[in-house]
Amino acid sequence: MPVEITWWGHATCTIEDSGVRLLTDPLFARRLAHLRRRRGAPPPPEARRADLALVSHLHADHLHVPSLAGLAPGTRLLVPRGAQRAVPALRRLRQLRVTEVGVGDEIHVGRLVVRAVPALHDGRRLPVGPQRAPALGYVVEGAARTYFAGDTGLFDEMAEVVGPVDVALLPVGGWGPYLGEGHLDAGRAARAVARLAPRSAVPVHYGTYWPIGMDAVRPHEFHAPGDEFVRLAAEYAPRVAVHRLEHGERVRLEVAR
């Protein structure tokens, strides 16, 4: 049975599996603070349609309240445990059905099971204060097992805690010229693919937003991570099919169980 993945830019993807439509880290803004969308048009209205939206952590480019406010009434929203305390604006989204989850929690949506898994990433609501909730990834199991890593570094237990997956949506870059701790660049993401050994991988979280006024500062960090991931994944995990999507592009993956 097929699963369809659409990449809208940054960490925002639509996953369609078993008649259920999921949206990851919705971000539809042309501009966010000092960041400007440099590539790909903002997602069309259809991108806001989902049965379930997943938020991986509290950073504003992943938990973007104005984008969440644009989701259809009744949409279910999963956020890390503690998010509503750390981000009070979430409580005003009364049209959404907000559920807080922690590592190991499972949520059933139609014929899918969504499981929260650990991520190695700063969970604070930066840059405002110490408010914290754990960063998460998610495994979506239906016709396929799809891993959405959110934002994470490479850690020893990754394959163990994520488990077997068919598709991995992995961050390979960022929104600025330097990646700090708790991130995957193209090389670390390729090593993650080798550990996870999915059938297919899709690079995300690159080539969309860039700080205003920094176009000439290490621009390869904006443009290159997708192609670099394709090259390195072929070296580290040659059996994995890598699909480097353009903004708004969809891939249909057949999964045999």
Side-chain angles (χ1 to χ4, degrees), residues 157-175:
E157 305 83 9
M158 179 179 279
E160 178 182 348
V161 300
V162 171
V165 291
D166 301 297
V167 185
L169 310 180
L170 293 176
V172 301
W175 51 254

Side-chain angles (χ1 to χ4, degrees), residues 15 29 79 81 107 118 131 149 180 235:
I15 304 169
V79 297
R81 186 165 292 127
I107 302 295
Q131 299 97 330
E235 177 181 341

Side-chain angles (χ1 to χ4, degrees), residues 11-254:
T12 306
C13 299
T14 293
I15 304 169
E16 297 175 82
D17 188 335
S18 303
V20 180
R21 186 177 171 100
L22 294 87
L23 186 62
T24 65
D25 286 349
L27 180 58
F28 305 129
R30 290 184 180 273
R31 179 172 174 177
L32 173 62
H34 64 301
L35 304 180
R36 180 162 53 96
R37 190 174 180 113
R38 293 295 312 279
R39 183 184 290 169
E46 69 181 66
R48 293 164 170 77
R49 182 172 57 84
D51 301 294
L52 176 68
L54 310 175
V55 168
S56 62
H57 63 288
L58 302 190
H59 292 174
D61 58 322
H62 293 259
L63 195 167
H64 185 245
V65 174
S67 293
L68 296 176
L71 300 180
T75 302
R76 192 167 187 183
L77 174 65
L78 300 190
V79 297
R81 186 165 292 127
Q84 294 179 95
R85 171 183 50 79
V87 188
L90 278 173
R91 303 173 193 167
R92 297 197 290 270
L93 301 180
R94 296 186 178 89
Q95 77 277 20
L96 306 180
R97 296 182 293 147
V98 181
T99 301
E100 294 192 350
V101 294
V103 170
D105 288 348
E106 293 185 348
I107 302 295
H108 293 253
V109 181
R111 290 185 287 169
L112 301 186
V113 178
V114 179
R115 175 170 53 93
V117 298
L120 180 63
H121 193 66
D122 189 331
R124 288 177 295 172
R125 179 65 167 178
L126 296 174
V128 183
Q131 299 97 330
R132 183 182 296 274
L136 300 173
Y138 294 95
V139 176
V140 178
E141 184 162 1
R145 291 178 295 251
T146 301
Y147 171 44
F148 169 63
D151 219 351
T152 186
L154 185 64
F155 55 98
D156 291 340
E157 305 83 9
M158 179 179 279
E160 178 182 348
V161 300
V162 171
V165 291
D166 301 297
V167 185
L169 310 180
L170 293 176
V172 301
W175 51 254
Y178 301 100
L179 283 175
E181 293 295 324
H183 294 85
L184 295 179
D185 60 11
R188 291 191 290 269
R191 292 195 290 274
V193 165
R195 295 183 184 186
L196 294 165
R199 296 172 183 266
S200 301
V202 177
V204 302
H205 202 276
Y206 77 99
T208 308
Y209 292 91
W210 203 246
I212 294 170
M214 297 188 69
D215 294 1
V217 180
R218 296 174 64 85
H220 63 283
E221 297 290 355
F222 178 84
H223 294 285
D227 290 334
E228 185 72 357
F229 174 71
V230 171
R231 182 182 70 81
L232 292 173
E235 177 181 341
Y236 288 115
R239 296 185 179 181
V240 177
V242 176
H243 303 272
R244 191 189 72 77
L245 303 180
E246 300 295 339
H247 293 81
E249 189 176 2
R250 175 181 303 182
V251 61
R252 180 181 176 96
L253 303 170
E254 296 289 339

